[in-house]
Amino acid sequence: MRPGTAAPELKVEFFAFANINNTIRLREGRLLVRLSDLLEGAPEGVVRAIAHILLAKMYRKPIDRGLAARYRKYIGSHELANKAHIVRQMRGRKRLQSPRGRFYDLEAIFEDVNRRFFHGLMGRPRMSWSPTKTRRILGHYDPAHNAIVISRIFDHPAVPQYVLEYIVYHEMLHLKHPVRLRGSRRCVHSAEFQAEEKLFPELQKAEAFLKRL
Ligand SMILES: [Zn+2]
């Protein structure tokens, strides 16, 4: 779109907008692109259409009608519209809490586990303590909000740090190994997931502590 000039550095990420939204900005010579995470897994043709539309906007060039139609058709499709509706409802409702508890800081725990077990490569989701001290769910990863939520019962000086690290590690493995469909069954803790979980050095101690809870 700008013949004779070098392509700028490009940073593209999926972003948890509350609806289907895509943005492009130029910052210090870098193009920053954010695509709605609802478009993750969109067919390649659709992603190409989005890329064309965003670049055409950026450089004030005409938008190809065929590509614009392709994008609109996909966005208007029934399945995606439903998904967007559900996500909008959930994102609108959910209130995440601060990652800083009275004793433990979940972001610090995440960064430490990330460095030790994932070469620091995992993007940090939002980290939140649960609003109440729930024993029913110790922790969960919420893909709609890209958030890891940990039960507030663990924000306590009697809880060893490795227990909290183990729970955060487990949720990070959910990020790394998304739920797969095997036939019609949802496979939440796949064989790879379980093998990797065993790499946590204090696994047995942590499990023993959780059993006594
Ligand atoms: Zn799990």
Side-chain angles (χ1 to χ4, degrees):
M1 289 189 168
R2 295 181 71 196
T5 55
E9 194 189 324
L10 200 56
K11 185 183 173 209
V12 185
E13 62 187 4
F14 284 107
F15 192 78
F17 293 112
N19 50 20
I20 300 167
N21 192 13
N22 306 291
T23 63
I24 187 166
R25 287 178 304 158
L26 192 60
R27 282 280 151 83
E28 290 156 8
R30 278 208 326 167
L31 273 181
L32 308 175
V33 177
R34 280 182 165 178
L35 301 176
S36 164
D37 59 351
L38 288 167
L39 299 172
E40 263 182 301
E44 189 186 325
V46 173
V47 177
R48 282 179 177 276
I50 298 166
H52 167 83
I53 293 164
L54 289 174
L55 288 169
K57 269 189 182 168
M58 184 82 234
Y59 294 115
R60 299 202 171 89
K61 301 278 177 175
I63 293 173
D64 181 277
R65 282 176 160 212
L67 292 172
R70 173 91 211 253
Y71 174 67
R72 272 200 311 274
K73 191 175 164 205
Y74 184 74
I75 292 298
S77 71
H78 229 63
E79 200 189 333
L80 198 71
N82 282 339
K83 200 168 147 191
H85 178 66
I86 292 164
V87 165
R88 199 155 41 234
Q89 283 185 329
M90 289 175 62
R91 288 197 178 137
R93 209 186 304 139
K94 186 142 183 166
R95 293 244 192 283
L96 293 171
Q97 311 281 316
S98 163
R100 277 173 191 255
R102 289 184 63 188
F103 300 98
Y104 287 115
D105 179 349
L106 290 174
E107 285 186 351
I109 301 257
F110 177 96
E111 290 308 338
D112 190 45
V113 173
N114 195 13
R115 187 178 47 73
R116 281 163 61 205
F117 300 100
F118 301 95
H119 306 282
L121 290 173
M122 199 168 279
R124 192 175 71 219
R126 294 175 68 184
M127 303 296 294
S128 169
W129 289 105
S130 65
T132 59
K133 293 188 175 184
T134 169
R135 275 165 204 278
R136 204 168 53 82
I137 300 169
L138 306 182
H140 75 282
Y141 170 65
D142 173 353
H145 298 81
N146 187 33
I148 288 177
V149 181
I150 304 292
S151 171
R152 202 172 283 277
I153 57 170
F154 296 110
D155 187 27
H156 193 279
V159 175
Q161 180 152 330
Y162 64 78
V163 169
L164 202 44
E165 286 170 355
Y166 164 64
I167 295 169
V168 170
Y169 179 63
H170 180 97
E171 297 312 322
M172 288 168 78
L173 289 178
H174 276 302
L175 269 167
K176 187 172 170 185
H177 303 277
V179 175
R180 280 196 323 237
L181 289 174
R182 188 182 283 160
S184 60
R185 256 193 59 219
R186 282 158 54 88
C187 181
V188 180
H189 301 115
S190 63
E192 302 91 82
F193 183 110
Q194 290 177 44
E196 202 163 335
E197 186 168 43
K198 292 205 175 78
L199 299 178
F200 188 79
E202 291 103 350
L203 177 65
Q204 288 179 349
K205 265 164 75 184
E207 281 177 340
F209 181 92
L210 293 175
K211 262 193 203 124
R212 291 197 306 270
L213 210 63

